[in-house]
Amino acid sequence: MSFNISVVTFKRADLILVLKNLLDKHDISGKYFEVEITESVFITDIQDLISKMTALSNLGFLISLDDFTAGHSTAGILPLIPLHIVKFDKSLLDSIELNRDRGTIVYKNLISLIKELNLKIVAEGVETLEQLQFLKEQGVDYAQGYYISKPVNIEEATLF
């Protein structure tokens, strides 16, 4: 299961303690959870950010960077933070529709960069079979979007 952590929540001094207490209370490992952060978290103190992300990782949480390329540039910080997954924002896939040649070059090179860092990639915003085939050809690990499934309620989700 994955969940987002907002900038405000990420700044909380007790964030790690609260999450650890929840894991202990329910006797469950962090390995079953993915913490999604957005680029906006990088406006916080970098040392605090690295410390908290390391602590989350030590608790077993997978850490993903959500909406990569949607806001501020974070490529320079990628080698500094403990990440497991990078989720490419839908706008990146849309750029291929707007300018096929240039959009493809950017997408392929970002895939290469993330793969060389040994991170998994999730492509957001997949709406067509053509997009899904492109992502498969490029070695993207996971895809999400309306082509795969529209959002479902809790009852529908538990049927899978």
Side-chain angles (χ1 to χ4, degrees), residues 149-160:
S149 174
K150 290 187 165 92
V152 295
N153 61 35
I154 189 70
E155 291 79 21
E156 293 171 300
T158 56
L159 293 176
F160 297 109

Side-chain angles (χ1 to χ4, degrees), residues 7-100:
V7 175
V8 173
T9 302
F10 209 85
K11 287 182 179 181
R12 287 181 52 162
D14 65 344
L15 172 67
I16 304 303
L17 182 61
V18 167
L19 291 174
K20 183 181 182 330
N21 287 342
L22 284 170
L23 293 176
D24 292 345
K25 177 181 177 180
H26 297 285
D27 192 31
I28 192 165
S29 170
K31 72 180 182 181
Y32 298 109
F33 299 95
E34 177 185 334
V35 176
E36 295 184 11
I37 61 168
T38 60
E39 293 176 327
S40 58
V41 188
F42 298 113
I43 63 171
T44 63
D45 172 34
I46 190 67
Q47 291 307 317
D48 183 56
L49 173 72
I50 292 170
S51 173
K52 286 179 179 167
M53 289 179 74
T54 300
L56 289 169
S57 188
N58 289 341
L59 289 173
F61 288 97
L62 291 176
I63 302 172
S64 68
L65 177 58
D66 195 16
D67 299 331
F68 182 63
T69 72
H72 307 293
S73 174
T74 54
I77 201 166
L78 288 176
L80 306 176
I81 56 177
L83 280 176
H84 303 96
I85 302 162
V86 176
K87 296 178 81 174
F88 286 2
D89 186 69
K90 177 187 183 312
S91 63
L92 193 57
L93 194 55
D94 290 344
S95 72
I96 296 173
E97 301 299 318
L98 298 172
N99 186 325
R100 185 170 259 345

Side-chain angles (χ1 to χ4, degrees), residues 60-153:
F61 288 97
L62 291 176
I63 302 172
S64 68
L65 177 58
D66 195 16
D67 299 331
F68 182 63
T69 72
H72 307 293
S73 174
T74 54
I77 201 166
L78 288 176
L80 306 176
I81 56 177
L83 280 176
H84 303 96
I85 302 162
V86 176
K87 296 178 81 174
F88 286 2
D89 186 69
K90 177 187 183 312
S91 63
L92 193 57
L93 194 55
D94 290 344
S95 72
I96 296 173
E97 301 299 318
L98 298 172
N99 186 325
R100 185 170 259 345
D101 293 338
R102 289 180 131 189
T104 299
I105 289 168
V106 169
Y107 212 101
K108 285 181 177 183
N109 280 286
L110 285 173
I111 290 170
S112 177
L113 169 71
I114 300 305
K115 289 292 188 176
E116 286 188 45
L117 293 171
N118 295 314
L119 303 173
K120 298 287 185 188
I121 298 171
V122 176
E124 298 178 326
V126 179
E127 297 178 349
T128 67
L129 177 59
E130 181 183 35
Q131 289 173 329
L132 184 61
Q133 289 172 331
F134 168 79
L135 297 170
K136 282 182 182 180
E137 290 168 5
Q138 303 312 312
V140 170
D141 301 291
Y142 306 101
Q144 70 181 57
Y146 283 109
Y147 183 77
I148 288 111
S149 174
K150 290 187 165 92
V152 295
N153 61 35

